[in-house]
Amino acid sequence: IRKIIAIGGPASLFPISMQLYLLLVTFWAGRLGPDVLETHIYTVNCLLVVIAWSSSVALSAQIRLAQLIGMKEYELAEQCFRASIRVGIIGSILGAFLLCVFSEFVFGFFTDNHYVSTLGATIFAICILLEMFRAINLIVLASLNATGDAKRPVLGSILLMWAIGVPLCWLVGVYGGYGLVGIYVGRVMDELIRAFYGWCQWKKGKWKAGHL
């Protein structure tokens, strides 16, 4: 039970932290005006399709890696990890790109507000990068959870999220006056930094050395 809690405890903190982060982003969007809030809400809901892809790949990688590492097939585990990253990135970029290309059609289901549609198209374009880095983060964290190396990567990601990501969103979007575009640029930088951190944690390979 202690081993399960050691992995599940830290892992459960990340989605809580992420939801609080997104709640704060929604609060800032609301302060920028009803049209901006409307754009943000429509964008987030449309992106759930892309996030579902990344989450599914991450879950699949976690299951497969747990099997391979349990059999001490470390080379196959490394190959599985890299393949999962590639599949996650390709699917996320493709999904976000299609939303961007057909943004006018997509927003047409929800509103006839030209400002919302135009701003939404810009946000979808930014989200091509956002979803790519998000896919990396989801897969890396799921993979590290499968190895049993969960505490440091998860807590480090949460720390980076609130120490760098949240201030960046506020600084560029709210304080800097770039609005929702600035907030999403801040989110891209946050996901990028955490993706680099997670990748470094994976490359340390504590699970290969049998330290866990």
Side-chain angles (χ1 to χ4, degrees), residues 23-144:
L23 184 63
L24 186 57
V25 169
T26 302
F27 170 76
W28 287 332
R31 294 290 298 271
L32 293 171
D35 287 345
V36 175
L37 178 60
E38 186 179 349
T39 305
H40 170 64
I41 291 174
Y42 293 154
T43 302
V44 168
N45 281 280
C46 291
L47 287 172
L48 288 176
V49 178
V50 184
I51 296 171
W53 170 264
S54 303
S55 300
S56 299
V57 175
L59 182 59
S60 301
Q62 187 174 24
I63 295 171
R64 182 59 178 152
L65 283 168
Q67 294 174 331
L68 292 172
I69 292 169
M71 295 186 295
K72 300 189 184 302
E73 295 283 357
Y74 298 140
E75 186 62 34
L76 288 177
E78 185 71 35
Q79 292 174 14
C80 176
F81 171 76
R82 292 179 179 274
S84 299
I85 292 289
R86 287 195 298 270
V87 172
I89 287 176
I90 292 171
S92 297
I93 290 177
L94 180 60
F97 177 76
L98 289 175
L99 286 174
C100 179
V101 171
F102 297 104
S103 60
E104 186 175 351
F105 176 76
V106 171
F107 279 101
F109 279 109
F110 306 109
T111 182
D112 56 0
N113 188 323
H114 180 69
Y115 176 82
V116 171
S117 300
T118 303
L119 178 59
T122 304
I123 299 302
F124 276 150
I126 296 172
C127 285
I128 295 174
L129 287 176
L130 176 65
E131 293 307 320
M132 179 182 72
F133 294 130
R134 192 206 302 269
I136 296 173
N137 279 319
L138 290 173
I139 295 168
V140 168
L141 287 180
S143 300
L144 288 168

